[in-house]
Amino acid sequence: MDVKALKDIPPWEWPDGTGKMFLDILRDGQAAESDRLLAAELAGDFTVIDDELVDALLAILRSGGESEELRGKVAISLGPILEHADTQGFEDADDVPIGERTFHRIQESLRRLYMDAGVPKDVRRQILETSVRAPQDWHPDAVRAAYGSDDAAWRLTAVFCMRFVRGFEEKILEALDSRNPDIHYEAVCAAGDWEVDAAWPHITALVTSGKTDKPLLLAAIGAVASIRPHEAAEILDGLTDSDDEDIVDAVFEATAMAEGLSDEDDEEDEPRH
């Protein structure tokens, strides 16, 4: 099967041997760049990722002879498995499709490459954005340095990373006032992820203004549910009549999440006898 055909097929329906096909394409320096880019993008899916594919992806990421686009695509592809392994741990080998040594090898490779000033800027940015999905001790300093940059791209990366690295509530609030729409969006997501209560007036204003762009509105809807779950239903109620199905779906999903969080809070507040 042509690798391009797989893009339109759900991963759980990919045929046997798909992982091996990705591996062969990634290792073939003579393969079409478009095929290698697509293989790198798809290889991170949990249905195929394993130790051998990770090694092939890391080999590309380390190689200065590969294109910046391909190296960046590889970095992004490693993100989901890195986060999953960090969240699940390795007590049960069936929970994670890669080994613990491979997990640590990904972390160390990303750290070394990020610290290498010879690696192209955009690749380093994508490496940082991926690596924070399994936070380590070096990340806070890296995020602070990126946020302090005069380069808008680095500042955007920093605010994205604040969604995963704790301790940046003040910077998240500052970034909510950014005129850069991408930074603003990431700040809204980060405020929701860390339940930054001081962001509540800003977030609710986005939800109720009627003028908020759709992607930002969807992010704000989710943030409302996380920050003050007890008040989310009242704030979101006006959006249930939207003509946009995505917005309505987001409201129902956020409301359900808020109800679950509210129930958890109520249980924690119950007196223990």
Side-chain angles (χ1 to χ4, degrees), residues 162-163 166 169 172-173 187-200 203 222-229 257 261-262 264-265 268:
M162 290 175 192
R163 296 169 60 177
R166 69 174 60 252
E169 286 80 2
I172 290 169
L173 291 170
V188 169
C189 293
D193 288 346
W194 291 109
E195 303 172 13
V196 181
D197 192 72
W200 180 255
I203 302 296
V224 161
S226 298
I227 296 172
R228 293 189 187 176
M257 181 178 73
L261 292 172
S262 295
E264 290 178 8
D265 290 343
E268 291 176 359

Coordinates of all heavy atoms in Angstrom, one line a residue, residues 162-163 166 169 172-173 187-200 203 222-229 257 261-262 264-265 268:
M162 N 4.1 26.4 28.7 CA 3.6 26.7 30.0 C 2.3 25.8 30.3 O 1.9 25.7 31.5 CB 3.2 28.2 30.1 CG 4.5 29.1 30.2 SD 4.0 30.8 30.2 CE 5.6 31.6 29.9
R163 N 1.8 25.2 29.3 CA 0.6 24.3 29.5 C 1.1 23.0 30.2 O 0.3 22.3 30.8 CB 0.0 24.0 28.1 CG -0.6 25.2 27.4 CD -1.0 24.9 26.0 NE -2.0 23.8 25.9 CZ -2.6 23.4 24.8 NH1 -2.2 24.0 23.6 NH2 -3.5 22.4 24.8
R166 N 4.8 23.6 35.3 CA 4.1 24.3 36.3 C 5.0 25.5 36.8 O 6.2 25.6 36.5 CB 3.8 23.5 37.5 CG 4.9 23.0 38.3 CD 4.4 22.2 39.6 NE 3.6 21.1 39.3 CZ 2.3 21.0 39.5 NH1 1.7 22.1 40.0 NH2 1.6 19.9 39.3
E169 N 2.1 30.8 36.3 CA 0.8 31.5 36.3 C 0.9 33.0 36.0 O 0.1 33.5 35.3 CB 0.2 31.3 37.7 CG -0.4 29.9 38.0 CD 0.7 28.9 38.4 OE1 1.9 29.3 38.5 OE2 0.4 27.7 38.6
I172 N 1.5 33.4 32.4 CA 0.3 33.1 31.6 C -0.7 34.2 31.6 O -1.3 34.6 30.6 CB -0.4 31.8 32.2 CG1 0.5 30.6 31.9 CG2 -1.8 31.6 31.6 CD1 0.1 29.3 32.7
L173 N -0.9 34.9 32.8 CA -1.8 36.0 32.9 C -1.3 37.2 32.0 O -2.0 37.9 31.3 CB -1.9 36.5 34.3 CG -2.7 35.5 35.2 CD1 -2.5 36.0 36.7 CD2 -4.1 35.5 34.9
A187 N -2.1 31.0 25.7 CA -2.3 31.5 27.1 C -3.7 31.1 27.7 O -3.8 30.7 28.8 CB -2.1 33.0 27.2
V188 N -4.7 31.1 26.8 CA -6.0 30.7 27.3 C -6.0 29.2 27.6 O -6.5 28.8 28.6 CB -7.1 31.0 26.2 CG1 -8.4 30.3 26.5 CG2 -7.3 32.5 26.1
C189 N -5.4 28.4 26.7 CA -5.3 27.0 27.0 C -4.5 26.7 28.3 O -4.9 25.9 29.1 CB -4.6 26.3 25.8 SG -5.5 26.3 24.3
A190 N -3.4 27.4 28.5 CA -2.6 27.2 29.7 C -3.3 27.6 30.9 O -3.3 26.9 32.0 CB -1.3 28.0 29.6
A191 N -4.1 28.7 30.8 CA -4.9 29.1 32.0 C -5.9 28.1 32.4 O -6.1 27.8 33.6 CB -5.6 30.5 31.7
G192 N -6.5 27.5 31.4 CA -7.4 26.4 31.7 C -6.7 25.2 32.2 O -7.2 24.5 33.2
D193 N -5.6 24.8 31.6 CA -4.9 23.6 32.1 C -4.5 23.7 33.5 O -4.5 22.7 34.3 CB -3.7 23.3 31.2 CG -4.1 22.9 29.8 OD1 -5.3 22.5 29.6 OD2 -3.2 22.9 28.9
W194 N -4.1 24.9 34.0 CA -3.6 25.1 35.3 C -4.6 25.7 36.3 O -4.3 26.1 37.4 CB -2.3 25.9 35.3 CG -1.1 25.2 34.7 CD1 -0.5 25.4 33.5 CD2 -0.5 24.0 35.3 NE1 0.5 24.5 33.3 CE2 0.6 23.7 34.4 CE3 -0.6 23.3 36.5 CZ2 1.4 22.6 34.6 CZ3 0.3 22.2 36.7 CH2 1.3 21.9 35.8
E195 N -5.9 25.8 35.7 CA -7.0 26.3 36.6 C -6.6 27.7 37.2 O -6.8 27.9 38.4 CB -7.4 25.3 37.6 CG -7.8 24.0 37.0 CD -8.0 22.9 38.1 OE1 -8.1 23.2 39.3 OE2 -8.1 21.7 37.7
V196 N -6.1 28.6 36.4 CA -5.6 29.9 36.9 C -6.9 30.8 37.1 O -7.4 31.4 36.2 CB -4.7 30.6 35.9 CG1 -4.2 31.9 36.4 CG2 -3.5 29.7 35.6
D197 N -7.2 30.9 38.4 CA -8.5 31.6 38.8 C -8.4 33.1 38.4 O -9.5 33.6 38.0 CB -8.8 31.4 40.3 CG -10.2 31.9 40.6 OD1 -11.1 31.2 40.3 OD2 -10.3 33.0 41.2
A198 N -7.3 33.7 38.5 CA -7.2 35.1 38.1 C -7.5 35.4 36.6 O -7.7 36.5 36.3 CB -5.8 35.6 38.5
A199 N -7.5 34.3 35.8 CA -7.8 34.5 34.4 C -9.3 34.5 34.1 O -9.7 34.7 33.0 CB -7.1 33.4 33.6
W200 N -10.1 34.2 35.2 CA -11.5 34.0 35.0 C -12.2 35.2 34.3 O -12.9 35.0 33.3 CB -12.2 33.7 36.3 CG -13.6 33.5 36.3 CD1 -14.6 34.4 36.7 CD2 -14.3 32.4 35.8 NE1 -15.9 33.9 36.5 CE2 -15.7 32.6 36.0 CE3 -14.0 31.1 35.3 CZ2 -16.7 31.7 35.6 CZ3 -14.9 30.2 34.9 CH2 -16.3 30.5 35.1
I203 N -11.3 35.1 30.6 CA -11.8 33.9 29.8 C -13.3 34.0 29.6 O -13.8 33.8 28.5 CB -11.5 32.6 30.6 CG1 -10.0 32.4 30.8 CG2 -12.1 31.4 29.9 CD1 -9.2 32.3 29.6
G222 N -13.4 25.4 27.0 CA -12.8 24.4 27.8 C -12.1 25.0 29.1 O -12.2 24.3 30.2
A223 N -11.6 26.1 29.0 CA -10.9 26.8 30.2 C -12.0 27.1 31.2 O -11.7 27.0 32.4 CB -10.2 28.0 29.7
V224 N -13.1 27.6 30.8 CA -14.2 27.9 31.8 C -14.5 26.7 32.7 O -14.6 26.8 33.9 CB -15.4 28.4 31.1 CG1 -16.7 28.3 31.9 CG2 -15.3 29.9 30.6
A225 N -14.6 25.6 32.0 CA -15.0 24.4 32.8 C -13.9 24.0 33.8 O -14.2 23.4 34.8 CB -15.2 23.2 31.8
S226 N -12.7 24.2 33.4 CA -11.6 23.8 34.3 C -11.4 24.8 35.5 O -11.1 24.4 36.6 CB -10.3 23.7 33.5 OG -10.3 22.8 32.5
I227 N -11.5 26.1 35.2 CA -11.2 27.1 36.2 C -12.2 27.2 37.3 O -11.9 27.2 38.5 CB -11.0 28.5 35.5 CG1 -9.8 28.4 34.6 CG2 -10.8 29.5 36.6 CD1 -9.6 29.6 33.7
R228 N -13.5 27.3 36.9 CA -14.6 27.4 37.9 C -15.7 26.4 37.5 O -16.7 26.9 37.0 CB -15.1 28.8 38.1 CG -14.1 29.7 38.7 CD -14.7 31.1 39.1 NE -13.7 32.0 39.6 CZ -14.0 33.3 39.9 NH1 -15.3 33.7 39.8 NH2 -13.1 34.1 40.2
P229 N -15.6 25.1 37.7 CA -16.6 24.2 37.2 C -18.0 24.4 37.8 O -18.9 24.2 37.1 CB -16.0 22.8 37.7 CG -15.0 23.1 38.7 CD -14.4 24.5 38.4
M257 N -17.6 17.9 31.7 CA -16.3 17.9 32.4 C -16.5 18.7 33.7 O -16.0 18.3 34.8 CB -15.2 18.4 31.6 CG -13.8 18.4 32.3 SD -12.5 19.1 31.3 CE -12.9 20.8 31.2
L261 N -15.9 17.6 37.6 CA -15.0 18.3 38.5 C -15.7 18.8 39.8 O -15.2 18.8 40.9 CB -14.3 19.4 37.8 CG -13.3 19.0 36.7 CD1 -12.9 20.3 35.9 CD2 -12.1 18.3 37.3
S262 N -16.9 19.3 39.6 CA -17.7 19.8 40.7 C -18.0 18.6 41.7 O -17.9 18.8 42.9 CB -19.0 20.4 40.2 OG -18.8 21.5 39.4
E264 N -16.2 16.0 42.2 CA -15.0 15.7 42.9 C -14.7 16.7 44.0 O -14.3 16.3 45.1 CB -13.8 15.7 41.9 CG -13.8 14.5 40.9 CD -12.7 14.6 39.9 OE1 -11.8 15.5 40.1 OE2 -12.6 13.8 39.0
D265 N -15.0 18.0 43.7 CA -14.8 19.0 44.7 C -15.7 18.8 45.9 O -15.3 19.0 47.0 CB -15.0 20.4 44.1 CG -13.9 20.8 43.1 OD1 -12.8 20.1 43.2 OD2 -14.1 21.7 42.3
E268 N -14.6 16.0 48.1 CA -13.4 16.5 48.9 C -13.8 17.3 50.1 O -13.2 17.3 51.1 CB -12.4 17.2 48.0 CG -11.7 16.3 47.0 CD -10.7 17.1 46.1 OE1 -10.7 18.3 46.3 OE2 -10.1 16.4 45.3

